[in-house]
Amino acid sequence: MQLEAKDIGFRYGNGPWLFQGVNLTLEPGEIVGITGPSGCGKTTFCRILAGFETPVEGTVTFNSDPLPKKGYHPVQLIFQHPEKAINPRWKMHKILNEGWKPNKEVLELLGIDREWLERWPNELSGGELQRFCVARALGPNTRFLIADEMTTMLDAITQAQIWHAVNEIAKKRKMGIVVVTHESKLMQRLCQRVIDFNDFS
């Protein structure tokens, strides 16, 4: 089982290429970092990997097949800004159960307080909201996780707690992870290898 992006290129309309010739093969249990300056296309590439965006060139496959269009997606994307990924009209228990019903272990590892389940999104901090986004993405059928600057906006303690939880769950499930971050120490600690988007612009 693997997630493979082959010869991926993207641009808007007839404009200049944002990137071209990006190749990535992600195996179960592998953690790969993506680095590069702002505006080089890292987030767009993440959206392509998760099926939110269609590349102009190249293909993305899961287990040698095209990414599925229906059902629970095996590639889950966690955005940098959790408030943009959450319906403000839903209470947190409905948001959490949107894709699957998280088990007790996931909630405890992520430090999600049961009391928060009855709150509205605007009653929680950014760090608390991001914990819910991570929990929602860690469904039983998730095989690959795309973390696009998912803890950049959070304080150091919250960052460490969330990454500890994600690491624990990923190891148990042999889940592959793509990490996008500007934090070199985090990249060095987590990733087996790093892709530099400066090479594709």
Side-chain angles (χ1 to χ4, degrees):
M1 183 181 299
Q2 62 181 206
L3 179 66
E4 183 177 18
K6 189 173 182 181
D7 297 326
I8 302 296
F10 187 87
R11 64 181 174 183
Y12 294 100
N14 294 319
W17 288 98
L18 192 58
F19 52 81
Q20 273 187 294
V22 183
N23 291 283
L24 168 66
T25 300
L26 186 63
E27 304 287 347
E30 187 179 20
I31 302 179
V32 175
I34 293 179
T35 188
S38 297
C40 69
K42 300 186 301 295
T43 290
T44 300
F45 182 66
C46 286
R47 290 176 60 82
I48 290 171
L49 284 178
F52 286 98
E53 195 83 60
T54 302
V56 176
E57 295 180 340
T59 57
V60 178
T61 56
F62 170 73
N63 247 6
S64 301
D65 293 319
L67 292 175
K69 300 293 185 182
K70 296 181 180 180
Y72 190 91
H73 206 286
V75 185
Q76 290 290 307
L77 173 61
I78 303 174
F79 299 92
Q80 179 178 350
H81 301 284
E83 68 279 0
K84 294 181 180 180
I86 283 177
N87 189 333
R89 300 182 183 87
W90 288 1
K91 283 194 171 182
M92 298 311 299
H93 68 82
K94 185 175 181 180
I95 290 169
L96 194 59
N97 296 329
E98 186 178 6
W100 71 295
K101 189 172 182 179
N103 58 41
K104 185 178 179 181
E105 179 192 23
V106 171
L107 297 182
E108 287 182 351
L109 275 172
L110 284 166
I112 294 176
D113 194 319
R114 291 280 178 179
E115 179 193 345
W116 300 348
L117 297 173
E118 295 304 319
R119 294 187 184 181
W120 297 97
N122 64 5
E123 296 178 313
L124 297 177
S125 69
E128 290 164 351
L129 285 177
Q130 193 64 300
R131 293 171 195 266
F132 277 94
C133 289
V134 174
R136 187 175 58 175
L138 291 172
N141 295 319
T142 300
R143 296 295 175 262
F144 298 98
L145 192 69
I146 315 298
D148 183 17
E149 300 273 9
M150 76 172 185
T151 59
T152 298
M153 306 299 291
L154 309 179
D155 62 82
I157 293 176
T158 304
Q159 284 187 30
Q161 290 172 341
I162 289 178
W163 273 114
H164 172 75
V166 169
N167 245 337
E168 287 292 306
I169 294 167
K171 285 178 182 177
K172 286 183 179 180
R173 300 183 186 177
K174 293 185 178 180
M175 187 184 301
I177 304 176
V178 171
V179 179
V180 179
T181 180
H182 289 288
E183 299 176 39
S184 58
K185 289 183 179 179
L186 178 65
M187 193 84 77
Q188 291 169 5
R189 188 169 74 248
L190 289 175
C191 303
Q192 281 97 20
R193 56 191 172 96
V194 176
I195 294 173
D196 189 345
F197 254 60
N198 282 309
D199 297 335
F200 307 108
S201 59

